[in-house]
Amino acid sequence: MAKRADASSGTPATVALVRAGVAFTAHAYEHDPRAAAYGLEAAEKLGIDPDRVFKTLLANVDGALAVGIVPVARQLDLKALAQALGGKRAEMADPAVAERKTGYVVGGISPIGQKTALPTVLDESAILCETILVSGGRRGLDLELAPDDLLAVTAGRYAPIARGR
């Protein structure tokens, strides 16, 4: 994979990856504002298996924000996320809080380059993939990178946090 740092992909996420020396590929696509599921839209428009495209979700775990990253066709298991972080209870974060804390808009929240570093958990299914795609920091931009590199740049960890299918 080659690094791409063209003008269309200049986001805090791509800047953080370049700074960290992490190899990635930027995948831009034409975002449809009417799309209900941003992650599934990305998988479809990029022609990539939805099991390799991951969505970034923010949750409150015992009152503190945390990031859960799961395949787009699955759901975040809030109880499993809390458990992975040593907490007891988790609930989805308010979208306005998520945007303020990450510096990104909903539908374009990247786990990389957030304004505030948050505890991050990547669903263990990512281990099976050579590369995965996550939001690049805006709607219509995904970044492809190795899951271990994603965890290195976010100081994250693997855990079984996805449910469904």
Side-chain angles (χ1 to χ4, degrees), residues 93-146:
D94 177 274
V97 172
E99 289 183 346
R100 196 167 49 251
K101 288 292 186 184
T102 63
Y104 296 118
V105 297
V106 169
I109 294 179
S110 178
I112 306 158
Q114 295 181 356
K115 281 185 0 186
T116 306
L118 300 170
T120 299
V121 181
L122 174 60
D123 184 63
E124 66 182 7
S125 66
I127 296 169
L128 303 174
C129 305
E130 189 175 322
T131 61
I132 61 171
L133 283 82
V134 295
S135 175
R138 64 175 166 78
R139 296 173 187 152
L141 177 67
D142 271 30
L143 303 177
E144 181 178 359
L145 72 166

Side-chain angles (χ1 to χ4, degrees), residues 2-25:
K3 291 181 202 166
R4 287 226 348 242
D6 58 319
S8 68
S9 61
T11 67
T14 60
V15 169
L17 290 173
V18 169
R19 189 178 303 132
V22 172
F24 70 94
T25 303

